[in-house]
Amino acid sequence: MEKFIIALDQGTTSSRAVLFNKEGQIVGVAQQEFRQIFPKPGWVEHDPMEILNSQLAMLSKVIDDHHVTPKNIAAIGITNQRETTVVWNRKTGRPIFNAIVWQDKRTAPICEALKSQGLEEYVRDTTGLVIDSYFSATKIKWILDNVEGARALATKGELAFGTVDSWLIWNMTGGTVHATDYSNASRTMLYDIRRLAWNKKLLQALDIPGSVLPEVKPSASDFGIWKHGDVEIPIRGVAGDQQAALFGQACFTPGMAKNTYGTGCFMLLNTGTNIQQSKNGLITTIAWGLDGKVEYALEGSVFIAGAAIQWLRDSLHIIDQSKDSEYFAAKALGVDDVYVVPAFAGLGAPYWDMYARGAIFGLTRDTGKDHLIKATLESLAYQTKDILMAMEEDAGIKLSSLKVDGGASANNILMQFQADILATEVERPEVIESTAVGAAYLAGIHVGLWKKEDIVNHRKVQKVFNPAMEAARRDKLYRGWKKAVERCKGWAE
């Protein structure tokens, strides 16, 4: 009997279900975009019911469209946009407020209050993170403080918090399982990544009752059962999207790194069982929990990557589809004067400036949309270089190759520029959906369908981009980028 695994890839802009066969090949994909809600400048929300309904619809669609017998589905794996915060009523199962998205900046004042209490070093040592509105903790506090009756319900133990994985698991299991995995827990700014426990001091500092928190499990574990008709399908793998991509790219050895070009851009470097603290503005995160041990990674986060391409499409209307960016950028090759710094949600690593805002530099009378599109694409590569340099310094190694994935990695002009500006080869696999691959393998490993080495054997490289830019030009371009970033910092303070 043929066996399948389904990965639910719940992202920032869409919900996807990806069907894998026993050889680890994708045999079906269903995808649906959902609304982005912007109530005020710097605020970003999602409707949790829309996330849930779109994700369940895609799960059913991929089963129905590909005529898969539900009994042949060995397990479901879940990977999700991280840090996005949902708080719901345990009795009704309904969210008490929209999901506050990882890009949201409304909790910057709460972060400042924590810093004024001298908690920065404690947060870094305990959670591996920096105090920033990016992470879940301050979002939970904001909801409890600002939604009428929320704090009273939380005190009575009637509210539940979860990142999006927990929200999906709760609903898919009929409210019987309130859980998350190590990788997602490590993104909340409330989890002690050394002791593997929720941290009472930080909960107290933010006035968050421990009763709202989910149980934390290994990434390959029993997360309950989803019923499709009368068939019970086990949920057996969960990981935050970037950790899932690291796993899906088979970065199992310390020193291996990947970069995912999604809504944001996220580079992770495997550090094995060692917790490596950064001196250069990177964060330490749990990569995954598997086979009775926890492994860690250094991470650099670029908040706006593919979202900058969507901005060209949806706000400026200068491209019809994201993939058109490659065509227009090709028409401006050789023109290097324009820089776009897409700090729409502040700047992430290594700058960590909540008050930075986006800007365009170097405009002249003959600047056209081609130059703007090219510069926006290049901003993804420049931000990646910022992180890679910090990573190499922290880890004391020179990366010889960067594994890439995510939607924008399909763009050949971007990938060649990435190799050029890094002076490092860039390796793109045949399957660039590494987040879904990672979630599928975690679930498949738990049910005995695969072993870790199968990921290495199944993974195929589609193209390698080798650096071809002269060093003098590379240095000049990067100096211009750094100058542009400096002028964006602190704008909204």
Side-chain angles (χ1 to χ4, degrees):
M1 187 166 67
E2 190 170 10
K3 287 289 183 185
F4 297 91
I5 297 281
I6 295 180
L8 303 187
D9 185 354
Q10 204 301 301
T12 308
T13 57
S14 71
S15 296
R16 294 150 41 80
V18 187
L19 183 69
F20 292 86
N21 64 16
K22 195 167 184 251
E23 286 68 50
Q25 297 164 328
I26 293 177
V27 291
V29 179
Q31 179 167 352
Q32 182 180 324
E33 287 197 4
F34 55 87
R35 281 182 310 146
Q36 306 296 303
I37 303 165
F38 307 105
K40 294 181 183 180
W43 291 29
V44 191
E45 297 176 3
H46 292 155
D47 179 345
M49 297 309 298
E50 205 175 328
I51 287 176
L52 174 66
N53 294 333
S54 61
Q55 189 62 77
L56 292 180
M58 292 307 98
L59 174 52
S60 296
K61 182 173 167 54
V62 86
I63 293 171
D64 297 342
D65 284 1
H66 297 278
H67 310 294
V68 176
T69 305
K71 286 181 181 173
N72 290 11
I73 300 166
I76 292 170
I78 295 174
T79 182
N80 55 288
Q81 53 166 318
R82 306 170 303 171
E83 299 94 19
T84 294
T85 297
V86 187
V87 177
W88 65 95
N89 187 307
R90 290 182 185 275
K91 289 185 176 175
T92 66
R94 302 289 299 185
I96 64 165
F97 193 74
N98 274 342
I100 301 183
V101 180
W102 55 273
Q103 299 156 319
D104 190 279
K105 293 288 139 196
R106 79 186 69 184
T107 63
I110 301 174
C111 295
E112 297 300 348
L114 291 175
K115 290 176 184 177
S116 70
Q117 294 170 41
L119 283 168
E120 279 186 276
E121 199 170 326
Y122 183 79
V123 165
R124 183 179 287 284
D125 290 346
T126 306
T127 70
L129 310 179
V130 296
I131 294 176
D132 194 88
S133 55
Y134 175 32
F135 304 108
S136 311
T138 57
K139 303 181 198 299
I140 305 170
K141 177 175 172 55
W142 189 94
I143 290 173
L144 295 183
D145 287 347
N146 288 276
V147 176
E148 191 177 344
R151 193 160 283 290
L153 287 171
T155 304
K156 287 194 285 185
E158 292 181 20
L159 294 186
F161 148 74
T163 40
V164 172
D165 57 308
S166 297
W167 169 241
L168 292 176
I169 292 164
W170 169 277
N171 284 282
M172 291 173 73
T173 61
T176 61
V177 179
H178 182 210
T180 189
D181 89 300
Y182 288 133
S183 71
N184 276 295
S186 76
R187 312 301 298 191
T188 59
M189 214 174 81
L190 294 170
Y191 195 67
D192 187 326
I193 62 171
R194 298 171 190 277
R195 295 183 174 83
L196 303 179
W198 296 111
N199 184 272
K200 288 179 181 171
K201 180 174 176 176
L202 293 173
L203 286 167
Q204 199 170 3
L206 287 157
D207 197 14
I208 297 171
S211 61
V212 304
L213 300 170
E215 179 188 355
V216 185
K217 298 185 171 203
S219 308
S221 190
D222 180 350
F223 291 93
I225 297 291
W226 177 66
K227 285 189 177 175
H228 186 68
D230 58 352
V231 179
E232 295 187 341
I233 302 174
I235 304 166
R236 292 297 182 263
V238 173
D241 51 11
Q242 303 315 317
Q243 289 96 328
L246 190 71
F247 198 79
Q249 285 272 36
C251 293
F252 301 139
T253 308
M256 295 180 83
K258 70 89 204 171
N259 195 33
T260 297
Y261 300 79
T263 302
C265 220
F266 301 89
M267 190 185 293
L268 272 74
L269 174 81
N270 186 325
T271 62
T273 53
N274 295 324
I275 295 177
Q276 185 146 6
Q277 295 283 21
S278 172
K279 299 180 181 69
N280 294 287
L282 303 179
I283 59 176
T284 307
T285 195
I286 294 178
W288 49 73
L290 184 66
D291 298 332
K293 67 178 181 181
V294 169
E295 295 188 51
Y296 297 87
L298 274 176
E299 175 174 335
S301 311
V302 171
F303 295 153
I304 301 292
I309 313 299
Q310 290 170 331
W311 167 70
L312 296 175
R313 182 191 71 187
D314 301 338
S315 298
L316 298 190
H317 304 291
I318 58 175
I319 54 173
D320 294 325
Q321 302 177 71
S322 295
K323 65 181 181 182
D324 296 342
S325 59
E326 185 170 357
Y327 168 78
F328 289 110
K331 295 162 74 172
L333 287 177
V335 181
D336 299 327
D337 301 330
V338 180
Y339 291 88
V340 172
V341 184
F344 307 148
L347 286 168
Y351 306 106
W352 293 107
D353 185 341
M354 294 182 285
Y355 304 104
R357 290 296 178 267
I360 304 169
F361 296 96
L363 296 176
T364 57
R365 179 62 183 80
D366 62 341
T367 301
K369 77 173 189 177
D370 300 341
H371 308 102
L372 192 58
I373 291 165
K374 173 175 168 283
T376 303
L377 277 181
E378 289 172 346
S379 73
L380 279 62
Y382 285 127
Q383 291 176 98
T384 297
K385 183 177 175 75
D386 289 339
I387 290 170
L388 184 68
M389 290 177 72
M391 223 167 240
E392 288 181 338
E393 198 171 318
D394 279 334
I397 55 169
K398 173 85 174 93
L399 281 183
S400 58
S401 174
L402 180 66
K403 297 181 179 187
V404 298
D405 54 57
S409 70
N411 188 309
N412 289 322
I413 284 181
L414 171 59
M415 290 301 100
Q416 184 57 54
F417 186 75
Q418 185 70 88
D420 286 341
I421 207 69
L422 293 180
T424 299
E425 77 170 28
V426 168
E427 182 188 294
R428 182 171 68 197
E430 276 187 8
V431 178
I432 61 173
E433 311 298 345
S434 299
T435 52
V437 171
Y441 274 108
L442 284 165
I445 285 169
H446 193 265
V447 295
L449 193 66
W450 294 308
K451 295 183 173 67
K452 260 173 89 172
E453 50 266 32
D454 291 330
I455 306 180
V456 181
N457 296 334
H458 290 160
R459 185 180 178 276
K460 293 182 176 65
V461 175
Q462 186 256 331
K463 187 173 173 65
V464 175
F465 296 86
N466 291 298
M469 186 182 284
E470 290 178 5
R473 183 173 168 225
R474 177 188 307 122
D475 294 345
K476 179 174 179 286
L477 288 173
Y478 191 56
R479 279 197 308 274
W481 165 257
K482 297 295 275 188
K483 187 162 79 170
V485 168
E486 282 304 314
R487 294 182 181 184
C488 291
K489 287 181 178 177
W491 183 265
E493 258 178 317

